[in-house]
Amino acid sequence: MKYDLKIYLLLLLLFNGFCFGFYQNPKSDSIALYVEKNHYNKALLFANKTIASSLKNKNHQKYYDTSIAKSAIYFKLHENDKAFKVLFDALFIAEKQKLASYKIEILLKIAWSYSAVLENNDTARKYTSIGRKLAVLNNDVNAQVSFDRLSFKIHSATNSDSAFYYLKALEKNIKKIKTNKLFCELQNNYFVYYTLVSKPYLAKKHLDSSYFYAKKLTKKELATAYGNLGYHYLTVEKNYKKGEQHYLKQLQLYPNDTTSNAVTDSYLNLSYAYEQLEDYKNANIYLNKYINGTEARYNQELNNNIKDIETKYSIEKVENQYKAKQQLLEDKQSKKTKIFFIFIAVLVLFIILFYFFYQNTKLKQKNKLQDIESHIQQNIINATIDGQENERKKIASVLHDNISALLSSAGLQLSAFVATHPNPYEEISKTRSILKEAHDKVRGLSHELLPTLLAKFGLFYALQDLCEKNSNSLIKFEYVSKVPHSKRFQEDFEMKIYFIVTELLNNVLKHSKASKAKLFIHVPSNELIIQIEDNGIGFDDKSISSEGFGLTQIRARISSMKGTLQINSKPESGTTITIKLPIQE
């Protein structure tokens, strides 16, 4: 297993240790009930009525709670512009009415949203500074703690020297409140800071203090403490046995959870610990748990994204028209997903059985273990990528053939209505505009998932178009091929080649700093040769010790297609990548 454990665990620590959940979105019971049932349209309508009545009756608490809940719904639907507009409207009213406590609350939400949602730390730092000064002026210690915590998170994420200043300010204010939860978070943040500045023994001192307080709190804090202790033992003391013990304790706190980020990351860390202990059996078991949990979460997030798209671009009248059809489609999708999971489970089970059989019969051949593990990982990567490509095709098909068609049909119905009514209601015109915008966005998303040129006209049209789209004022991509554009291969083969080339061209754009690049295509006899050249900064290809996950995926995909990939590069001499594949027509 090859990965930078320190960086990986530190990222995990930053997400778990800073306790981003310090801010809870207050919601009325009705809005919360609608959101739980995914009735976002009804929740927004209820929020609008509540905001209007609260302003009229000067019920400030109700107004600001509802505004924050409304912004949370927009953030959920990825309508970030609308979410920020709601927050800034509330901020404007708070400033106009000189309501300092509510202004502090809104500034905290705005700053947190810029940092966590948009990852815009510069803007988040600006509003954090404004809110912190106002909290100090109003002697609001709880708000000061929240702003100091967020400031520490922002400055730590950007490696700023001010991180320690805000950590000390946070400590000063927490001592005024004196709760075990805050003391636990403070010690955990000290652990994070000293870890970031490479002072592991000071970090361990605060880690022990954090664990002391965590034992008095809920299992959430205790799980974070176990995870941090496991990280310390694995990366600093190299005591893999103790690291294993703490991660197992962490998992015992969530016996029914197999898919959350915290649990799957613990699986991965346990796999690493067992590998170092040369317990390859348990290393492989937890590696497979990590892969299965990650895939399950990916599919769950994918299904959630589909539901969000349906909710975002539909209205109640349209929803009533295709509700029965959509339910049938979801049932079919569920069956296909179950079949896919069964296939993956059988494949993983087969690999595990084969692994143990090989270990029992070839115990003396330990030098071949790395090759076996590499083969297993390649199979899993290929199976995962196949699943992702199938999902892309299915989602694109659903968007284009069903949702897009339904939106278009609804638009035609409204057009027919307008044609027969010379003076239609303004709402009809607005509805037509909304349907058109939804139709265009759904169609655009389906084209991103599965390019139209690739599906209709084939690989060579799509690759030439890809070169033209990636060309700009900084870099020119040239497509060179004598192969007729009309030549077609097997559909799956073309799709795999297209996404491989897309990833390689993206690498040229991101890393090469080239001004020119060429894509050569040759088809001698039954072989497809793809060559990508650039005049960028290059690198020493002989000094590469490891590759990024993207290039690893490409190698695994090409290997599964019985092809080869060769990289030739030297500093300041550009890079040439050559791929050779047997043709699948």
Side-chain angles (χ1 to χ4, degrees):
M1 184 188 306
K2 296 181 179 180
Y3 62 94
D4 192 330
L5 180 65
K6 182 175 181 180
I7 294 177
Y8 188 85
L9 287 177
L10 191 53
L11 289 173
L12 169 65
L13 176 62
L14 288 173
F15 278 104
N16 288 329
F18 283 111
C19 300
F20 287 141
F22 71 88
Y23 188 86
Q24 299 295 329
N25 291 328
K27 304 176 187 176
S28 71
D29 293 338
S30 298
I31 294 178
L33 183 61
Y34 285 136
V35 170
E36 287 175 4
K37 294 182 178 181
N38 294 327
H39 294 165
Y40 298 112
N41 288 336
K42 293 181 179 179
L44 290 172
L45 287 173
F46 184 85
N48 290 336
K49 293 178 181 179
T50 304
I51 287 173
S53 63
S54 299
L55 285 175
K56 182 178 180 181
N57 299 324
K58 296 183 179 181
N59 187 341
H60 299 129
Q61 185 66 55
K62 190 72 172 178
Y63 168 73
Y64 289 104
D65 287 350
T66 307
S67 294
I68 291 174
K70 183 179 178 181
S71 71
I73 295 172
Y74 280 131
F75 279 129
K76 166 68 177 174
L77 298 175
H78 307 292
E79 294 279 3
N80 296 336
D81 291 342
K82 293 181 180 179
F84 278 110
K85 184 181 184 304
V86 172
L87 293 176
F88 280 108
D89 286 345
L91 180 62
F92 173 78
I93 292 176
E95 291 176 340
K96 183 178 179 180
Q97 298 180 350
K98 297 181 180 181
L99 301 172
S101 61
Y102 295 113
K103 183 178 178 180
I104 292 171
E105 184 179 1
I106 295 298
L107 283 169
L108 181 59
K109 177 61 178 174
I110 289 173
W112 182 87
S113 299
Y114 271 114
S115 176
V117 179
L118 297 186
E119 298 182 358
N120 186 338
N121 286 320
D122 290 336
T123 306
R125 188 183 294 113
K126 168 187 171 183
Y127 286 101
T128 301
S129 176
I130 296 172
R132 187 173 184 272
K133 291 178 182 177
L134 188 59
V136 172
L137 185 63
N138 286 270
N139 198 28
D140 189 338
V141 180
N142 287 306
Q144 291 178 53
V145 168
S146 296
F147 281 115
D148 288 338
R149 187 191 286 111
L150 182 56
S151 296
F152 174 59
K153 175 256 174 183
I154 293 171
H155 287 278
S156 296
T158 55
N159 295 320
S160 170
D161 294 335
S162 299
F164 189 72
Y165 168 82
Y166 287 107
L167 186 55
K168 297 301 290 185
L170 178 62
E171 180 179 18
K172 179 181 177 181
N173 286 316
I174 285 178
K175 286 182 178 179
K176 297 178 183 178
I177 301 176
K178 296 181 181 179
T179 66
N180 286 334
K181 180 176 177 61
L182 290 177
F183 281 130
C184 179
E185 292 178 7
L186 175 64
Q187 296 302 320
N188 194 52
N189 289 340
Y190 267 113
F191 166 63
V192 171
Y193 174 76
Y194 285 120
T195 299
L196 288 173
V197 297
S198 301
K199 293 183 179 180
Y201 296 102
L202 283 175
K204 179 60 166 57
K205 172 185 174 182
H206 290 283
L207 179 57
D208 290 337
S209 297
S210 174
Y211 176 63
F212 170 79
Y213 288 111
K215 290 189 293 184
K216 302 178 181 181
L217 300 169
T218 66
K219 66 179 182 180
K220 175 184 176 181
E221 289 81 9
L222 188 57
T224 299
Y226 282 141
N228 294 341
L229 284 166
Y231 159 78
H232 174 82
Y233 286 120
L234 287 185
T235 60
V236 178
E237 297 188 14
K238 307 299 182 183
N239 189 334
Y240 304 109
K241 192 64 181 176
K242 279 193 174 182
E244 170 216 9
Q245 293 171 356
H246 283 87
Y247 279 115
L248 288 175
K249 289 179 180 179
Q250 185 186 44
L251 291 178
Q252 288 174 359
L253 295 174
Y254 299 97
N256 298 321
D257 185 355
T258 59
T259 60
S260 68
N261 279 318
V263 170
T264 55
D265 287 337
S266 295
Y267 289 155
L268 185 62
N269 296 328
L270 276 170
S271 177
Y272 173 79
Y274 283 124
E275 182 181 6
Q276 299 304 311
L277 293 169
E278 297 186 357
D279 185 351
Y280 300 111
K281 175 181 177 181
N282 278 319
N284 194 58
I285 288 174
Y286 280 98
L287 179 60
N288 283 316
K289 286 186 176 182
Y290 165 76
I291 293 170
N292 289 337
T294 303
E295 285 190 1
R297 187 170 65 253
Y298 164 78
N299 282 281
Q300 184 179 0
E301 291 173 355
L302 192 61
N303 288 334
N304 289 338
N305 288 336
I306 294 175
K307 292 179 181 177
D308 287 346
I309 291 172
E310 293 171 359
T311 303
K312 182 178 177 182
Y313 300 114
S314 58
I315 58 177
E316 289 187 39
K317 291 182 180 179
V318 177
E319 183 180 6
N320 292 333
Q321 292 176 3
Y322 67 84
K323 186 174 181 180
K325 294 182 180 179
Q326 186 62 25
Q327 185 61 47
L328 180 62
L329 180 64
E330 290 177 358
D331 291 341
K332 291 181 179 179
Q333 180 69 20
S334 177
K335 291 180 181 179
K336 291 180 180 179
T337 303
K338 290 179 181 178
I339 293 173
F340 174 75
F341 278 127
I342 292 172
F343 171 76
I344 292 296
V346 171
L347 177 62
V348 172
L349 180 60
F350 172 78
I351 293 173
I352 295 173
L353 292 175
F354 176 79
Y355 174 82
F356 286 122
F357 174 77
Y358 185 85
Q359 285 294 93
N360 290 331
T361 57
K362 303 289 182 178
L363 188 60
K364 295 180 181 181
Q365 300 179 7
K366 289 186 178 181
N367 58 323
K368 295 184 179 180
L369 178 61
Q370 187 174 0
D371 292 337
I372 295 174
E373 290 180 347
S374 176
H375 176 68
I376 292 173
Q377 290 174 2
Q378 279 196 1
N379 284 343
I380 294 174
I381 289 173
N382 286 324
T384 303
I385 295 174
D386 286 337
Q388 291 173 348
E389 290 176 352
N390 288 335
E391 289 297 323
R392 291 172 73 100
K393 291 171 65 178
K394 286 187 283 187
I395 294 172
S397 176
V398 170
L399 291 175
H400 186 272
D401 298 338
N402 292 278
I403 298 177
S404 180
L406 289 170
L407 290 172
S408 178
S409 176
L412 290 174
Q413 294 292 334
L414 288 176
S415 296
F417 177 82
V418 170
T420 57
H421 295 75
N423 297 311
Y425 291 110
E426 181 181 356
E427 287 78 1
I428 297 297
S429 299
K430 289 182 179 179
T431 302
R432 291 179 64 197
S433 298
I434 293 171
L435 286 173
K436 184 179 183 303
E437 181 182 356
H439 177 268
D440 292 342
K441 290 185 177 181
V442 169
R443 183 179 60 185
L445 180 57
S446 69
H447 289 173
E448 287 181 15
L449 292 171
L450 185 62
T452 304
L453 276 177
L454 179 64
K456 291 186 176 181
F457 299 104
L459 177 64
F460 301 105
Y461 276 106
L463 291 181
Q464 183 174 7
D465 180 69
L466 187 63
C467 289
E468 294 174 356
K469 286 182 178 178
N470 282 325
S471 296
N472 52 50
S473 60
L474 299 178
I475 183 171
K476 173 67 175 178
F477 283 92
E478 182 180 353
Y479 176 81
V480 181
S481 175
K482 294 183 180 180
V483 182
H485 280 63
S486 59
K487 187 172 181 61
R488 298 299 300 266
F489 302 128
Q490 185 180 11
E491 181 182 356
D492 288 343
F493 179 77
E494 288 190 341
M495 186 169 67
K496 292 173 183 177
I497 296 299
Y498 178 81
F499 287 117
I500 288 172
V501 174
T502 299
E503 180 67 21
L504 292 175
L505 294 187
N506 284 338
N507 286 342
V508 174
L509 287 169
K510 291 179 182 177
H511 308 297
S512 72
K513 297 183 180 180
S515 61
K516 293 181 181 180
K518 290 184 179 181
L519 172 61
F520 295 91
I521 306 292
H522 308 282
V523 184
S525 63
N526 291 324
E527 188 177 40
L528 173 63
I529 300 176
I530 301 172
Q531 195 172 66
I532 300 173
E533 296 181 359
D534 68 67
N535 64 346
I537 59 176
F539 56 90
D540 186 358
D541 54 13
K542 296 181 180 179
S543 64
I544 299 178
S545 59
S546 63
E547 298 175 345
F549 187 61
L551 194 54
T552 300
Q553 284 186 315
I554 291 174
R555 284 194 182 276
R557 172 59 75 207
I558 292 174
S559 176
S560 71
M561 298 167 69
K562 304 188 184 303
T564 60
L565 181 144
Q566 183 178 1
I567 301 176
N568 294 317
S569 184
K570 293 182 180 179
E572 307 303 329
S573 297
T575 302
T576 301
I577 299 176
T578 304
I579 301 172
K580 295 182 179 180
L581 292 161
I583 293 176
Q584 301 175 14
E585 298 191 12

